[in-house]
Amino acid sequence: MRPDLNEVLRRRAAGTGNMVLVLHEVSHALDRLARTGETHVIDLSSLPMTPVELQQLIASLGEGEVRAVIEAEGRSEVTETGFSGVWLVTHRDTDDMLRGRYIEITPLPEILRSQDADIRAAAARLARKLDQISDLEEAS
Amino acid sequence: MIRRQQTLGERLEERGISRRSFLKFCTTTASLLALPPAFAPRIAEALESQRRPSVIWLSFQECTGCSESILRAGSPSIESLIFEAISLDYHETLQAAAGHQAEAAREQAMAENMGKYLVVVDGSVPLGNPGFSTVAGQSNVETLKRVAKGAAAVICMGTCSAFGGIPYAKPNPTGAVPVSEIITDKPIVNVPGCPPIPAVMTSVIAHYITFGSLPELDDLGRPKVFYGQNIHDRCYRRPFYERGQFAQSFDDEGAKAGWCLYKLGCKGPTTYNACAVLKWNEGTSFPIEAGHGCLGCSEPNFWDKGSFYAPLSTATELGSGTVAAGVLAGAVLGAGAGYAGRKMQEKGKAGPFEAPPVADAGQKENS
Amino acid sequence: MTLLDFARGPALQGAAFIFVVGMVWRALGLLLLHRNTPLSRNRDNHLARHGFRTVLSRFIPAPVFERRVSFQYVAGWIWHLGFFVVLLFFKIHVMFFQGLLGFGWPTLPNGVVVAVAGITLGVLLWLLGRRIVNPVLRYISTFNDYSSLVVTMLPFITGFLAFAHYGFAYETMLALHILSISLLLVWFPFSKLIHVITLLPSRYILGVKFWRRGVQA
Ligand code: SF4
Ligand code: SF4
């Protein structure tokens, strides 16, 4: 048996009601973060919402103090919402197409941190660069 | 290609791909597989920690469209990151090696990874004559059987290897069959589509590496996450379908207004694929959004289901020929019946009694 | 071959073939029979015209029986008309005919067709119930009556389910719908449904016979 799709479509047009559910989930997760430090991620693409609802959700979270853009195989945006600890993360690919939208409840979204592997690589690169510079200096 | 000792991180760095990009890949892959975001680190860990699984890619009767779709050599995308996580040891179109060298590389990869490597197949296998398609003097059937023997699983990429595809279409001149008709003792995942959506393939491989198992499959061997819903159910033109607003031609007012394409042959209602959700060309759009009906390319025998432009509700074989033959046969039978009837009437009349009147059309009138 | 492939292909083709064969066969067979020569003197000068009058006059109940048969007439009219409206003026059906004949015609909005189909199915169900409940009707009903009613109703039921995406998946419902139509086509020439071709001619013949004898039928 399949669901009655006409009904599904009608309901979808009327809104899914998921926006409030998401806000509840955020609120619980934020509470846990405050008490135990446990982080949480919500995948917005896994929850059906009308574009209007999504806008309302983002609007009700508001804007916070941080707004960062990451260029990694396409642009990603990380913004802190009006509620500290609640972040909105948007991933796009090289063609600027939306690939995922997440609400992260964390002190700092993982993608924002410099990654250990990148740090190690960077250290090596910088050392090489210094070597080159000192080589050049010696030569002159 | 063979420097296996490198870590994933080093390889990424060598390619100028940051760790952040990799994180992004893992996160979006989890979304694609409908896994909770918490799985992203697990995917990352699995892709990194394990030895890169060896993948042997076999191309049989195919057009290379599937490879093109998946590799999209022209525009590197997040999906192509999967190729950092696997060791693609044999791919006729991509590998640098040629001739005996290439075959030797494959044999070596097979020997080293016995029972653990993945086999990806694009193209169907001709059984009509082994000479129809050979590589290095080996027919496709032989190659498939040999290589699949030591495989952990076989992934059929594209409709040709999954269901036979275009080579399999009537009259099937090469006697082509899908992989599943030859290999019966290995787990097989079908990733049909002509071609399949790139992200679907990478996600299936990522799933395999992360969990060491294949995703849940439907009765046609397709991963349910991607082939569980049909195009029609997720189509944004669906409200027009419900209201009976159909474009009559590709350039009429209805087409311009974005009405449903059922009448123009859309096979969306009977096609299970993720196009309407994942879309094509990095999520730009999908065929119905571009104004053309779905061809049903991820379904078996899509090529033989009547015209791409005939509505699903039309007959595929019924035509004037059938009707004419029916009229003819009916006329012969009718003449015979009429003759026999007359004979009976005459016999009745010739009898000793007056014949009872024969009604011409003895049916009782119907309400 | 999936169920839908079978339904759209061989099933429909075979059923249409049997339908055409059966219709031509039975029509021709009846046409070729000897007519019995009337023995009475002709008491009417406009036989043909009066024959047609009988054909038409029987579309409405005869005044004497009006009270007893009106329901039967009205119900019959409604569902026959509904049947044709749904068959010929539903968009997706016209697409089918267009695929077959090469031309189409204007259609009615889906909402209207769905309403008509609902009423038609309702009337058919009512008639079936009446046939079972009414003692006289039940007494004179045969397998031919029940089966023809059910076979006529099936396309409506499956069609509704396919349209509403209810029950099985669309491809299965559509296949069942086409198969139910195939069944109707096969059943048609060999059951009382053949009245479609015999009804008007037999009324005419009956009319002529009556008028000849001076009965104003
Ligand atoms: S365009 Fe195709 S998939 Fe979309 S609603 Fe119409 S028939 Fe269904
Ligand atoms: S819309 Fe249909 S035909 Fe086109 S790619 Fe998707 S499944 Fe294949």
Side-chain angles (χ1 to χ4, degrees):
Chain A
M1 275 289 179
R2 290 241 182 134
D4 174 1
L5 280 158
N6 299 337
E7 187 50 38
V8 173
L9 286 170
R10 265 194 297 279
R11 253 188 284 130
R12 199 178 290 169
T16 60
N18 276 341
M19 186 200 105
V20 185
L21 296 186
V22 173
L23 282 179
H24 273 293
E25 191 178 346
V26 171
S27 139
H28 290 305
L30 193 57
D31 198 39
R32 248 177 296 139
L33 181 66
R35 281 186 291 113
T36 67
E38 187 190 331
T39 62
H40 186 62
V41 186
I42 301 169
D43 181 351
L44 286 180
S45 65
S46 69
L47 293 156
M49 257 188 274
T50 62
V52 179
E53 283 178 310
L54 192 65
Q55 270 172 16
Q56 284 172 348
L57 176 70
I58 291 170
S60 51
L61 287 174
E63 273 184 43
E65 295 165 335
V66 186
R67 170 178 284 273
V69 172
I70 298 164
E71 297 288 350
E73 299 290 309
R75 173 179 295 238
S76 293
E77 280 166 21
V78 182
T79 50
E80 198 184 23
T81 67
F83 302 93
S84 282
V86 181
W87 300 76
L88 198 64
V89 179
T90 311
H91 291 316
R92 288 170 192 281
D93 62 17
T94 33
D95 296 305
D96 217 31
M97 285 298 156
L98 187 67
R99 297 307 293 262
R101 210 184 245 138
Y102 306 85
I103 294 181
E104 293 199 25
I105 294 94
T106 168
L108 182 69
E110 184 62 19
I111 192 122
L112 212 49
R113 277 191 335 117
S114 293
Q115 300 292 312
D116 292 347
D118 290 344
I119 296 172
R120 276 196 301 275
R125 242 184 326 135
L126 189 55
R128 272 202 303 278
K129 190 156 205 162
L130 266 180
D131 276 352
Q132 278 172 359
I133 293 174
S134 42
D135 282 353
L136 283 176
E137 270 172 6
E138 263 169 43
S140 59
Chain B
M1 201 188 261
I2 317 266
R3 280 160 60 199
R4 281 205 198 102
Q5 295 83 347
Q6 266 187 327
T7 66
L8 178 70
E10 282 163 353
R11 279 197 308 278
L12 292 179
E13 191 207 326
E14 203 170 79
R15 303 278 304 270
I17 297 164
S18 76
R19 178 77 196 175
R20 279 199 185 97
S21 305
F22 179 64
L23 270 187
K24 206 160 142 175
F25 168 72
C26 296
T27 310
T28 49
T29 299
S31 296
L32 278 177
L33 285 167
L35 296 170
F39 271 96
R42 191 159 155 198
I43 294 176
E45 203 182 306
L47 294 184
E48 270 177 318
S49 62
Q50 282 162 20
R51 245 182 58 150
R52 297 193 294 160
S54 168
V55 173
I56 296 178
W57 188 303
L58 300 175
S59 298
F60 298 140
Q61 291 193 126
E62 46 89 44
C63 67
T64 315
C66 292
S67 290
E68 277 297 331
S69 164
I70 285 144
L71 305 168
R72 274 182 313 178
S75 120
S77 65
I78 334 188
E79 269 85 50
S80 60
L81 274 182
I82 194 73
F83 293 102
E84 305 303 329
I86 59 172
S87 165
L88 189 56
D89 289 328
Y90 183 81
H91 187 301
E92 280 146 17
T93 327
L94 297 178
Q95 64 203 352
H100 294 303
Q101 230 186 338
E103 302 305 302
R106 190 183 76 203
E107 293 302 315
Q108 190 195 342
M110 281 166 57
E112 282 173 11
N113 302 289
M114 207 55 183
K116 289 190 300 237
Y117 58 85
L118 281 179
V119 176
V120 176
V121 182
D122 60 345
S124 61
V125 186
L127 293 183
N129 177 336
F132 282 150
S133 175
T134 65
V135 174
Q138 229 183 30
S139 75
N140 290 168
V141 205
E142 285 172 59
T143 311
L144 178 61
K145 282 187 180 155
R146 245 182 78 73
V147 176
K149 196 174 262 167
V154 181
I155 301 180
C156 294
M157 206 50 75
T159 301
C160 292
S161 53
F163 304 135
I166 293 172
Y168 186 75
K170 280 176 207 146
N172 191 355
T174 62
V177 295
V179 168
S180 54
E181 280 190 25
I182 296 170
I183 305 301
T184 47
D185 55 348
K186 294 282 171 188
I188 295 182
V189 195
N190 287 332
V191 184
C194 195
I197 303 173
V200 173
M201 182 200 87
T202 53
S203 305
V204 170
I205 295 182
H207 188 284
Y208 180 77
I209 300 175
T210 310
F211 300 103
S213 66
L214 297 170
E216 201 193 338
L217 306 177
D218 72 2
D219 54 347
L220 290 172
R222 306 177 292 196
K224 273 192 181 158
V225 231
F226 301 111
Y227 297 90
Q229 276 177 317
N230 74 23
I231 304 280
H232 185 63
D233 286 352
R234 299 305 296 264
C235 179
Y236 73 105
R237 296 193 189 219
R238 181 64 183 273
F240 296 109
Y241 170 87
E242 302 295 343
R243 285 198 290 268
Q245 291 174 316
F246 301 109
Q248 306 290 318
S249 71
F250 284 109
D251 54 0
D252 70 351
E253 285 310 309
K256 283 179 196 141
W259 286 3
C260 171
L261 301 169
Y262 191 95
K263 186 174 189 298
L264 296 172
C266 182
K267 304 292 179 288
T270 57
T271 305
Y272 292 78
N273 203 344
C275 302
V277 184
L278 295 183
K279 313 218 169 163
W280 281 91
N281 300 322
E282 285 87 41
T284 307
S285 64
F286 74 115
I288 292 170
E289 223 170 329
H292 194 287
C294 169
L295 304 181
C297 73
S298 59
E299 295 296 318
N301 305 319
F302 80 104
W303 207 256
D304 287 326
K305 289 187 191 250
S307 165
F308 287 149
Y309 300 100
L312 265 174
S313 62
T314 51
T316 49
E317 281 169 37
L318 175 58
S320 48
T322 308
V323 177
V327 170
L328 216 69
V332 172
L333 276 170
Y339 180 74
R342 275 167 173 262
K343 277 275 144 330
M344 272 164 69
Q345 285 176 318
E346 281 155 20
K347 218 171 106 200
K349 282 230 160 78
F353 310 107
E354 188 61 8
V358 179
D360 294 22
Q363 298 291 323
K364 66 176 154 180
E365 287 192 16
N366 199 276
S367 54
Chain C
M1 188 184 280
T2 64
L3 193 63
L4 183 58
D5 292 339
F6 171 71
R8 292 178 67 194
L12 209 48
Q13 187 186 28
F17 180 73
I18 294 176
F19 174 76
V20 175
V21 169
M23 292 307 260
V24 175
W25 166 7
R26 296 208 55 188
L28 207 62
L30 288 172
L31 214 64
L32 287 180
L33 288 180
H34 288 300
R35 319 273 135 212
N36 47 355
T37 20
L39 303 173
S40 62
R41 189 166 55 84
N42 187 1
R43 295 187 174 83
D44 188 76
N45 296 327
H46 308 284
L47 271 187
R49 211 177 69 217
H50 284 139
F52 278 115
R53 210 170 119 184
T54 309
V55 169
L56 295 179
S57 73
R58 307 225 158 180
F59 275 119
I60 48 167
V64 261
F65 300 127
E66 214 173 294
R67 276 205 28 239
R68 317 201 62 164
V69 298
S70 281
F71 172 78
Q72 186 78 21
Y73 264 81
V74 172
W77 266 104
I78 292 179
W79 89 255
H80 276 86
L81 280 182
F83 187 92
F84 284 113
V85 167
V86 175
L87 176 68
L88 297 178
F89 294 102
F90 180 46
K91 277 212 174 119
I92 291 185
H93 292 164
V94 174
M95 288 177 199
F96 174 85
F97 291 117
Q98 194 165 19
L100 205 62
L101 307 170
F103 59 88
W105 49 85
T107 56
L108 289 169
N110 277 7
V112 175
V113 176
V114 168
V116 171
I119 294 170
T120 307
L121 185 57
V123 170
L124 280 170
L125 283 168
W126 181 269
L127 286 175
L128 178 63
R130 188 161 164 269
R131 204 178 263 288
I132 297 170
V133 173
N134 185 315
V136 177
L137 264 178
R138 190 172 58 222
Y139 183 69
I140 59 169
S141 294
T142 61
F143 173 72
N144 198 347
D145 298 304
Y146 289 116
S147 55
S148 299
L149 238 172
V150 171
V151 168
T152 311
M153 265 166 15
L154 282 180
F156 275 93
I157 297 171
T158 52
F160 256 121
L161 293 179
F163 177 78
H165 289 256
Y166 205 78
F168 300 112
Y170 179 78
E171 58 267 32
T172 316
M173 266 343 293
L174 181 61
L176 290 179
H177 182 54
I178 296 178
L179 287 175
S180 72
I181 288 152
S182 306
L183 179 65
L184 179 63
L185 284 175
V186 170
W187 193 243
F188 211 99
F190 308 107
S191 64
K192 72 168 191 177
L193 298 177
I194 188 89
H195 75 269
V196 166
I197 53 169
T198 55
L199 176 74
L200 299 184
S202 74
R203 268 190 203 171
Y204 177 81
I205 290 168
L206 197 71
V208 166
K209 274 184 182 160
F210 280 175
W211 282 93
R212 235 191 112 84
R213 296 175 192 165
V215 181
Q216 306 209 342

